[in-house]
Amino acid sequence: ISKLLEDWYARPFGQAAFQQTSGSVRKSLEHVFGYYLVQLGLARNMPLFLDSTIPTRILISSARGELADLVANFEELPIASDSTDAVIGHHFLEFSGQPHRTLREIHRILTPQGHLVLIGFNPYSLSGIGHLGLKLSGANLWKRWSPISLMRLKDWLHLLGFDIIEHETLCHIPEIGSGNFRHVLANLENIIKRTKLPVGGLFVIHAIKSNSKLILRNPESV
């Protein structure tokens, strides 16, 4: 999965997606301070924390890689409870067999009022429809994709005791075409951004761990 996801991001539209994602994460964490930041992700060479002012930043992946600082099981993180000031989750919930358990682990390691930024593929988008088609056809990466909608993920986070700060979708129009056609698509992208329609190919959610007691209801019931 790690190699397949990295190959997707190595393509032109993947590179554009990563650039937009980096900007969104930078904005979310711009005023977040502390001592420890953890990024969880299947991609082993895509740190999204380079602009963070938090001094200790750790990239954790499920497979060995050049930039991965630690290889670990996302469902059982080797990190102390209430110790991490910020967590970035980059495309791991939607390829996980136990996304709810992973979210509970993130909640456990975050400090009270710790920040969480989650990035995922949006199934309710033009590219999401294409990914669903590839999933049905058995394409290597997408057959293992278990899409999670923005609304569903927001419900899970609320049930676990997170407050949603903001959310947005990115990459509304695929990077295709050239000349006048590309110009028309770029204008359409700007219109969609201004209207804030949640139809981009990727979503970014910024949430904070609440001080209130963890709600014990199982998010799988949502």
Side-chain angles (χ1 to χ4, degrees):
I1 290 293
S2 295
K3 181 64 167 61
L4 292 170
L5 186 63
E6 289 161 0
D7 288 346
W8 187 89
Y9 268 104
R11 298 166 186 166
F13 45 83
Q15 293 176 15
F18 186 73
Q19 185 176 20
Q20 291 191 40
T21 302
S22 297
S24 181
V25 174
R26 181 171 57 250
K27 181 182 65 176
S28 295
L29 298 181
E30 183 177 8
H31 300 295
V32 176
F33 306 100
Y35 299 98
Y36 298 101
L37 183 155
V38 168
Q39 177 173 326
L40 305 174
L42 299 176
R44 300 158 294 182
N45 58 355
M46 298 180 184
L48 289 161
F49 47 57
L50 297 180
D51 294 312
S52 172
T53 59
I54 296 177
T56 302
R57 298 166 292 189
I58 302 169
L59 176 58
I60 300 179
S61 184
S62 57
R64 295 183 182 276
E66 182 180 352
L67 299 182
D69 300 298
L70 181 65
V71 176
N73 183 343
F74 297 148
E75 288 86 26
E76 297 181 64
L77 295 170
I79 299 174
S81 300
D82 303 318
S83 65
T84 307
D85 301 288
V87 171
I88 301 170
H90 186 228
H91 295 302
F92 64 93
L93 287 177
E94 55 207 316
F95 294 98
S96 169
Q98 303 183 74
H100 315 99
R101 184 173 177 180
T102 302
L103 283 176
R104 287 181 178 273
E105 273 293 273
I106 292 173
H107 188 278
R108 179 185 66 79
I109 69 173
L110 276 172
T111 60
Q113 297 298 298
H115 290 253
L116 170 63
V117 179
L118 289 174
I119 301 101
F121 291 112
N122 180 16
Y124 299 119
S125 63
L126 289 175
S127 58
I129 294 171
H131 298 160
L132 288 170
L134 290 172
K135 178 179 176 65
L136 293 174
S137 70
N140 281 336
L141 174 62
W142 304 107
K143 69 181 180 182
R144 306 176 192 183
W145 179 48
S146 298
I148 302 172
S149 70
L150 180 62
M151 186 63 68
R152 173 63 62 88
L153 188 51
K154 286 168 60 179
D155 286 343
W156 288 356
L157 292 172
H158 279 304
L159 290 173
L160 286 171
F162 285 95
D163 295 326
I164 307 298
I165 302 303
E166 61 181 345
H167 58 82
E168 64 176 334
T169 60
L170 312 170
C171 304
H172 302 88
I173 303 297
E175 293 284 331
I176 57 175
S178 60
N180 290 335
F181 181 65
R182 183 64 229 166
H183 181 69
V184 171
L185 292 181
N187 287 336
L188 181 58
E189 171 92 11
N190 291 330
I191 292 172
I192 295 174
K193 284 181 179 178
R194 287 197 298 270
T195 56
K196 296 185 176 181
L197 292 173
V199 294
L202 295 101
F203 62 73
V204 180
I205 299 179
H206 180 195
I208 291 182
K209 179 179 175 179
S210 173
N211 282 324
S212 60
K213 185 177 179 180
L214 173 65
I215 300 174
L216 296 179
R217 181 182 168 190
N218 188 343
E220 292 187 45
S221 63
V222 178

